[in-house]
Amino acid sequence: MKDKTTALISGIEHFDLTHTFMCGQCFRWYENQDKTYTGIAYGKAVTFGFENGELTIFNTTEEDVKNIWIDYLDLNRDYSEIKNMYLADRFVAKAMEFGYGIHILNQEIFECLISFIISTQNQIPRIKKIVASLSEMYGNPCKIGDKTLYAFPTAEELKKSFDEELMMLLEEEYTEFLGNKVVCHSIPIRPGRNLAIICESAAINYRQKKMGYNAAQELYKRVQENLAKGRR
């Protein structure tokens, strides 16, 4: 593993961390008390600080700065040129003045797609919570200081976990306990998964089934119906 270091990039204009991370395009960054931002992207957890045109990247490597973070923050794009193209439009000019420091983040495509779907009729705090929960349940852990962040799962990881857990929820297993028949669930576990959230989800699902609603069967039914429609 390459040693982590602190990188400094100077001479950055038309950029602001709060404008970029809190405008609603991404939900994985959290503001610290010192106005820095900590988050995770492409499986890497870092902290960004920005002041007087200088961007500081903590807990990174020179290779990651070149291969990930410069492109992720869209630092090679000339935003002044883009802004000058629309100064004549007073409405766009007003919007650019309000969000002068927004950069378009080059996010992982699958994470961006799922976040966009989740964002339908949701507010930013709730979207962040849902995305964080998905990452904790299915993503790989990444340490930064005393914090543990979780990478957003890939489509393959999500499908594998979904298949395993859907079968677990569809199949009823029982065991004997003091002469009584008790429901027993075998929960697939992998390193880094949040056991508290997984067990809580299993308990909620079981309670719903006792009340007459089987979420797994309903989901399976809808998936099969959509597949059947696609074949027509």
Side-chain angles (χ1 to χ4, degrees), residues 50-137:
F50 185 71
E51 189 175 6
N52 299 323
E54 290 189 340
L55 176 69
T56 306
I57 310 175
F58 303 92
N59 194 58
T60 191
T61 65
E62 291 185 11
E63 183 178 346
D64 285 346
V65 172
K66 294 177 182 177
N67 297 334
I68 298 176
W69 302 121
I70 289 178
D71 181 65
Y72 179 76
L73 295 174
D74 209 26
L75 296 180
N76 287 327
R77 192 180 305 278
D78 188 349
Y79 277 77
S80 63
E81 181 181 353
I82 296 172
K83 290 179 179 180
N84 288 334
M85 293 170 59
Y86 298 98
L87 287 176
D89 187 315
R90 62 188 181 93
F91 295 106
V92 177
K94 192 70 175 178
M96 290 190 298
E97 181 182 353
F98 179 79
Y100 65 86
I102 295 177
H103 270 213
I104 303 300
L105 297 175
N106 291 303
Q107 303 175 59
E108 295 173 84
I109 295 176
F110 184 67
E111 178 180 346
C112 186
L113 172 64
I114 299 301
S115 299
F116 178 77
I117 294 171
I118 292 170
S119 68
T120 305
Q121 297 181 349
N122 271 317
Q123 295 179 334
I124 289 179
R126 178 169 170 76
I127 300 167
K128 293 182 76 167
K129 185 176 180 180
I130 294 172
V131 172
S133 295
L134 263 177
S135 301
E136 287 181 21
M137 289 183 71

